[in-house]
Amino acid sequence: MVWKNQYTLCLYTFDDNDQLNELVCDLSISDMKNDKCSVVVDPYSPNVLYANIINEGISTSYISFDNGKRFIPIELENQRSKCFQINCIIELDLVCSNDLIQNHFPEKSVVIFQEKSKCKKSKDCQHMFISFNGGKIWKMVNYDFENIKIINGGSLMVAAEKSTGKFWYSYTMGTKWYKIGWWWWYRIIDIEPLESANNQIIATINYHELTGVPSIFIYDFTKALGNYV
């Protein structure tokens, strides 16, 4: 990235003659803070770029599948969704920390980013966006989830609810979610898949809010998952 002037940040690449070629300008300057980036490269597909670009004064997320030659807006799976009805503008939270691959590219073709939608007819709404085909089509998921783990390309997804610490799972690539009964004072602090050739085990690391005592709960999705795969 290169500053074209004191107000304009641009993305460049080198051509065969080692000359700089401009790919896109008006990158979001606010993303250059706190482990945030204006541009993120898919570690599994280096030709795929995500960029927050200022468009008519508003930062909006775009994706390029040809190494920056052409950027297009993020596309949701169902264009009749609430976000499209109220004309939302999608701006992904492009975090480029050391945990980039683990948090945002957990498997090849699987991409996860949190986002803040600027909804014109309601107050700001926050969501999480997931793609299972390398960024071509996206699903909007309840932002209140954290510690989302995606197993086997989305055939099983598990997550903790931020506000309550409850445990949720999905067999439908995030379309429908189900909650497992939970003791009120226990909160999930981490989720770890314990996969093997014949078993699909999920472990949650928890703590008790009153006693502070940690615990580990084990969930076996092997038989249930077999009915959906």
Side-chain angles (χ1 to χ4, degrees):
M1 289 184 289
V2 177
W3 289 95
K4 191 171 185 178
N5 55 51
Q6 66 181 107
Y7 304 108
T8 306
L9 182 63
C10 300
L11 179 65
Y12 286 80
T13 187
F14 286 98
D15 60 20
D16 294 336
N17 298 318
D18 291 331
Q19 299 296 313
L20 282 175
N21 284 338
E22 181 182 301
L23 295 178
V24 64
C25 281
D26 297 318
L27 296 173
S28 174
I29 300 174
S30 62
D31 286 326
M32 303 296 292
K33 305 173 183 177
N34 301 323
D35 292 329
K36 305 295 178 66
C37 288
S38 299
V39 178
V40 167
V41 180
D42 187 328
Y44 296 104
S45 302
N47 289 329
V48 178
L49 310 178
Y50 298 87
N52 285 338
I53 301 172
I54 304 298
N55 184 12
E56 297 183 355
I58 300 175
S59 180
T60 307
S61 291
Y62 291 80
I63 184 171
S64 172
F65 297 101
D66 54 11
N67 202 28
K69 295 178 181 178
R70 177 172 175 262
F71 282 89
I72 59 176
I74 298 295
E75 181 179 350
L76 291 184
E77 181 180 49
N78 182 5
Q79 294 192 1
R80 296 180 181 179
S81 68
K82 179 181 178 181
C83 190
F84 274 81
Q85 291 176 7
I86 59 179
N87 194 21
C88 284
I89 295 173
I90 299 174
E91 182 183 7
L92 299 179
D93 190 12
L94 300 180
V95 179
C96 51
S97 65
N98 293 332
D99 297 327
L100 172 70
I101 296 178
Q102 177 181 344
N103 293 337
H104 303 292
F105 301 92
E107 297 181 12
K108 185 177 181 180
S109 299
V110 177
V111 189
I112 307 174
F113 279 107
Q114 293 179 350
E115 183 263 6
K116 185 174 182 180
S117 296
K118 304 173 181 64
C119 304
K120 291 186 176 181
K121 295 185 179 180
S122 67
K123 64 181 181 179
D124 283 359
C125 48
Q126 294 179 317
H127 306 93
M128 181 171 289
F129 286 82
I130 301 178
S131 173
F132 296 100
N133 56 7
K136 295 181 177 67
I137 301 295
W138 295 77
K139 286 188 176 185
M140 187 166 62
V141 178
N142 189 341
Y143 181 83
D144 199 34
F145 288 161
E146 61 183 355
N147 283 327
I148 287 186
K149 303 295 182 182
I150 298 178
I151 296 94
N152 195 23
S155 59
L156 174 63
M157 300 173 62
V158 294
E161 187 177 349
K162 280 186 178 180
S163 58
T164 65
K166 301 297 188 293
F167 185 65
W168 292 74
Y169 66 94
S170 171
Y171 294 126
T172 57
M173 302 181 78
T175 301
K176 293 183 179 180
W177 289 84
Y178 305 92
K179 181 170 61 175
I180 292 180
W182 201 259
W183 292 278
W184 178 254
W185 297 110
Y186 283 95
R187 286 186 174 270
I188 295 174
I189 58 177
D190 198 8
I191 299 175
E192 289 295 335
L194 305 176
E195 300 177 74
S196 66
N198 300 314
N199 297 288
Q200 185 59 73
I201 309 296
I202 302 295
T204 63
I205 303 173
N206 324 278
Y207 75 94
H208 195 284
E209 290 188 312
L210 294 182
T211 64
V213 176
S215 60
I216 297 177
F217 294 167
I218 302 296
Y219 301 89
D220 189 350
F221 289 93
T222 305
K223 293 183 179 180
L225 189 59
N227 296 327
Y228 288 84
V229 177

